[in-house]
Amino acid sequence: MSSGHDTPEDPQPGPTRESRFEPYEVNRPIPVAVLSVAFALAAWGVATLWVDQGAVEETAPEDEAAEVAAAGPDGAAVFEANCQTCHQANGLGVQGAIPPLAGSRYVTGPAEAPVQILLHGIDGPISVRGADYDGRMPRFGEVLTDAQIAAVVSYVRSTWGNAAPPVEAAFVAEQRARFDATRGPWAGGAELGAVTGIAARLGGGGTDTSMESAR
Ligand code: HEC
């Protein structure tokens, strides 16, 4: 009996109880209520996706078509995609090779001219703003719709200082119906003017901005 009166010693000297504590994962099962809510949410999500997809598939084409019809194609975008490489972003073309659209009587004069050039292409002598060209422009009759041609023609008629009135898709449709789609490109400015009957309204050389109001 040597130390009966001693204060009891900690049988495991060393760190206190608190510092020995190690965090551990509580292995408590997720309550059924939480699980069922999670499943319900997941099911609802899938169902919503499913239903929405059906709705999108059913209505999207009509909605888009309606929007496009309301807004119409973007003439600037059609120009950028189909004309800009040749006629340039500033509408001035390439000296000696590609005629300018800025200030051209074929753009701002009678609307038949740009529309017919786009529908069939043009390949022959043409005089624009006092300079002679004899190049070849491809046709866009099969590439662009009536609405796209109307949009891009309206764009070039109202950009770079051009100030001619816009053209409608219906006007392009009329012009499309006038000549066989396989007639080949216009053989230059003179033939275009003679065959379409707009030679007088196209006028001669010069800067041609006086033709703006002619249609
Ligand atoms: C591959 C090059 C090329 C592309 C692309 C092109 N053009 Fe042309 N364009 C020409 C050439 C070359 C001429 C002159 C043809 C000639 O000498 O007979 C011309 C002539 C014209 C003319 C009559 C002359 C004038 O300068 O006013 C108009 C209008 C016209 N283009 C508009 C357009 C529009 C709008 C587009 C886009 C839809 C377009 N072109 C795309 C090369 C091109």
Side-chain angles (χ1 to χ4, degrees):
M1 291 305 247
S2 53
S3 57
H5 62 278
D6 282 352
T7 50
E9 297 236 341
D10 192 327
Q12 289 176 307
T16 58
R17 191 168 145 60
E18 281 82 352
S19 64
R20 270 189 277 120
F21 176 82
E22 278 173 24
Y24 57 95
E25 290 286 331
V26 180
N27 194 13
R28 222 183 304 154
I30 301 167
V32 175
V34 173
L35 270 183
S36 48
V37 167
F39 276 121
L41 276 175
W44 173 75
V46 170
T48 316
L49 262 182
W50 190 268
V51 170
D52 282 358
Q53 217 165 32
V56 165
E57 272 163 19
E58 271 167 31
T59 61
E62 284 163 32
D63 286 356
E64 268 168 33
E67 263 173 44
V68 168
D74 180 357
V78 177
F79 179 83
E80 208 182 307
N82 298 280
C83 324
Q84 188 166 301
T85 40
C86 290
H87 291 282
Q88 306 299 302
N90 60 10
L92 291 178
V94 177
Q95 205 182 359
I98 313 274
L101 302 181
S104 163
R105 62 195 159 118
Y106 289 97
V107 174
T108 60
E112 286 94 326
V115 170
Q116 287 296 343
I117 289 172
L118 262 65
L119 285 172
H120 301 287
I122 184 163
D123 184 358
I126 188 168
S127 166
V128 184
R129 285 175 61 174
D132 294 332
Y133 299 84
D134 194 352
R136 183 171 186 281
M137 171 172 152
R139 62 192 178 138
F140 288 87
E142 282 74 47
V143 180
L144 300 177
T145 64
D146 292 347
Q148 286 175 315
I149 290 176
V152 74
V153 166
S154 298
Y155 173 76
V156 299
R157 277 163 72 84
S158 61
T159 308
W160 316 297
N162 291 350
V167 306
E168 304 281 336
F171 178 81
V172 177
E174 277 169 31
Q175 291 300 315
R176 197 189 276 277
R178 284 182 70 188
F179 303 100
D180 196 314
T182 60
R183 74 167 299 282
W186 301 106
E191 197 227 10
L192 170 75
V195 175
T196 58
I198 58 170
R201 283 189 291 147
L202 266 174
T207 54
D208 315 314
T209 36
S210 60
M211 297 299 298
E212 274 170 14
S213 53
R215 266 202 66 165

